[in-house]
Amino acid sequence: SDRFVADADYRAAELQTLAADAPLVAHFCGNDAETLLSAARLAEPHCVAVDLNLGCPQRAAHSGHFGSYTRRPGAPSDAMDLPFVLSIVSTVARGLRLPLFCKIRLQDELDDTLAFCRQLEAAGCALLAVHGRYRGSPTHKREGAAHLDQVAAVKRALGIPVLSNGNVRNAADVLAALEETGADGVMSAEGALDDPAIFGRAVALARERR
C-alpha cells in the first residue's frame, strides 16, 4: 500500500481495469492504518470493495510485518498483533464508503480463531475469507490439507459472509468446499491459476448434479 499511495506511475500500472472487470475488489497489504486507508480511497472509484490481506505467510510478509505477520514495526515478536490489526480494520472500515473485506489464516486454537473472527466483524469487516491452514513459519507454510471443518465453524459463528479458501484444485473441489463449510463462496488461488474457468466449470457441474 505504501508504494501505491506514493508513486503515481506504479499506481497507474497496477490498477488498470475495464467495465467488464466488475465486480472488482482491490486487495492491499500493509501495517499502517492511515496509509492503507489512503490507498483504499485511491482505489475506491474503480472497485466495489477493498480487501485487506491478513493471511499471507510468505517471507516478504514476515520481513514487512504484513499479512499473517501484521504487527507494529519494531515489535520483538513474530506473533500477529491482534489489537493492532483490529485497530487497522476499524480505521479503514470507518474511513471508506465501500465495504472492507479481510482474509486470514487460522489461529493455533479454534477458539482463538473464532474470537478473532468475531472481533474482525465487530471492527467493521464486511466479508471474511478464511484460509483453512495455520500460518506456519516464513520458510514452512503448508502442511497437509486445509482444515475446512474450522472454516465451517467460523461460518456458523459470524453474521457476515464467509469465503472458504483451501483444498480447491478443480470444479468438484469447489462444490465440495461449499458443501463441507456452508460458506457463502469459495476463494481459489492455485486452482484458478491452473484453470481460469474453474468457477464456470463448477457452476456447470452443479447444474448437472441437480
Side-chain angles (χ1 to χ4, degrees), residues 15-189:
L15 183 56
Q16 299 185 40
T17 184
L18 301 170
D21 290 335
L24 182 69
V25 176
H27 184 73
F28 290 104
C29 61
N31 61 10
D32 181 85
E34 293 303 325
T35 302
L36 282 163
L37 178 56
S38 295
R41 284 175 171 166
L42 288 167
E44 260 187 329
H46 309 282
C47 57
V48 299
V50 171
D51 186 52
L52 181 57
N53 183 340
L54 300 173
C56 180
Q58 297 180 7
R59 192 171 301 177
H62 177 263
S63 61
H65 297 183
F66 64 84
S68 61
Y69 296 95
T70 301
R71 59 194 188 279
R72 293 173 178 83
S77 171
D78 278 350
M80 178 182 271
D81 186 336
L82 299 187
F84 181 57
V85 168
L86 294 170
S87 71
I88 291 175
V89 171
S90 178
T91 296
V92 178
R94 285 187 288 106
L96 282 179
R97 291 169 295 179
L98 300 178
L100 177 67
F101 299 168
C102 297
K103 184 190 177 190
I104 65 166
R105 283 182 172 242
L106 302 176
Q107 299 292 305
D108 289 341
E109 300 294 335
L110 176 58
D111 286 346
D112 293 336
T113 298
L114 296 177
F116 181 37
C117 292
R118 291 187 182 105
Q119 290 168 334
L120 286 169
E121 181 177 15
C125 174
L127 176 149
L128 185 64
V130 183
H131 186 114
R133 290 187 174 89
Y134 304 108
R135 183 184 72 178
S137 71
T139 56
H140 184 74
K141 297 179 285 297
R142 174 174 297 183
E143 184 173 347
H147 303 282
L148 298 189
D149 58 321
Q150 296 197 35
V151 179
V154 171
K155 170 58 188 170
R156 292 192 297 269
L158 299 188
I160 57 174
V162 172
L163 302 185
S164 177
N165 183 220
N167 296 359
V168 172
R169 298 166 298 277
N170 54 53
D173 289 342
V174 172
L175 301 183
L178 287 171
E179 182 175 357
E180 182 171 351
T181 64
D184 301 278
V186 169
M187 176 182 288
S188 174

